[in-house]
Amino acid sequence: MKISQLDLKAQLNPIREDLLRAITEVVDSTQYILGPQVSELEEKVAAYCGVKFGIGVSSGTDALLVVLMALEVGPGDLVLTTPYSFFATAGVVVRCQAKPLLVDINRDTYNLDPGAVRKALEALPAADRKRVKAILPVHLYGQSTDMNPLMDVATEYGIPVIEDGAQAIGAGYDYQGKTVKIGSIGLAGCFSFFPSKNLGGLGDGGMVVTNDKEFADKVRILRVHGAKPKYYHSFIGGNFRLDTLQAAALLVKLPHLEAWHAGRRARAEYYDRHLAGIPGLTTPKVAVQREHHIYNQYVIFAPKRDELHQYLGDKGISTAIYYPVPFHLQPCFKDLGYRKGDFPASEAAAEHTLALPIYSELTTEQQDYIIGAIREYYNA
Ligand SMILES: Cc1ncc(COP(=O)(O)O)c(C=O)c1O
């Protein structure tokens, strides 16, 4: 049997005709830049997330970048974030000529540890604390960071929180006694529509969501080179626009999103049940309620991870290693001055985690084959 880590073809087949129709409509309209589908998607995604404003942008990376630009993060500033995420999370900070202030993750959830955040801020001299212009938690693999204590500490120190929700659109969280969607908790949320995300386009795309009108207006202006009106520039922005074609495709997919989340959740539960009891192997901890997790990835913590990865590959099962090198050990960030051993939970995750195939079209037969192969590998 051959099983890919993600099977986009399986998702495509039932919606292919709708996608082609939506694309044809855009092609015929010739409104390729900021056409009506972009604002329709912005309204629908904002409503889905329970926020007032959505601004469609060119990628998840650009969503983060434009938000930091709107906050005027610059030389000498710090942005507190996790060492264990996709490169973009820290990359955008350095592109603004600021410095990532890294704080370790929680070992169970792989998300930024709010207790460690508090300690890190307390340990900073007051002058340095003033330089922290944002806290940037990542809702990794589709599960929310523990936002209640994180928002408490951020509010205490008056630091805006930007949620990197690239992997977690639609994930829920019980915030101050009310169930909300991530992206609506901090000042702004950033999403990616990279094809492998739960809501994936036919190429790159992203969105910023916020309840703050002034902030939304500024992001919208920065998206078009900081111009308002056209050719009059109060700020220096960039070309961060979401293509009309991508918006049209995403509008076709959005109504299916909840069903796709549910499909992933059911498959995660199946893995949980059938992988239980293998010595040393840990299935993903559900720190929120199960229905809040959208399982963009199903990531196990596995002894002899690299050998398991190879073993499964030889059996035709493709798995992925997210992320083999935490930020503080990346060659391009060596000037930040961090060393091996600084963030033990992130280093352990980088060494031991493995993402198994997960998508709502994955069959029980395929899952049984994967589970069988893992049990065989561990003689369990
Ligand atoms: C956590 C995280 N942040 C940011 C990004 C960047 O998104 P994009 O690939 O759309 O630029 C990604 C995407 O892969 C991500 O997983």
Side-chain angles (χ1 to χ4, degrees), residues 165-184:
Q167 301 182 6
I169 190 165
Y173 181 75
D174 288 334
Y175 183 59
Q176 297 180 342
K178 210 173 123 207
T179 297
V180 299
K181 285 207 160 45
I182 62 100
S184 69

Side-chain angles (χ1 to χ4, degrees), residues 60 139 163-169 182 190-193 197-198 296:
H139 305 302
E163 301 174 61
D164 182 342
Q167 301 182 6
I169 190 165
I182 62 100
C190 298
F191 297 123
S192 162
F193 301 132
K197 304 302 195 238
N198 287 31
N296 179 243

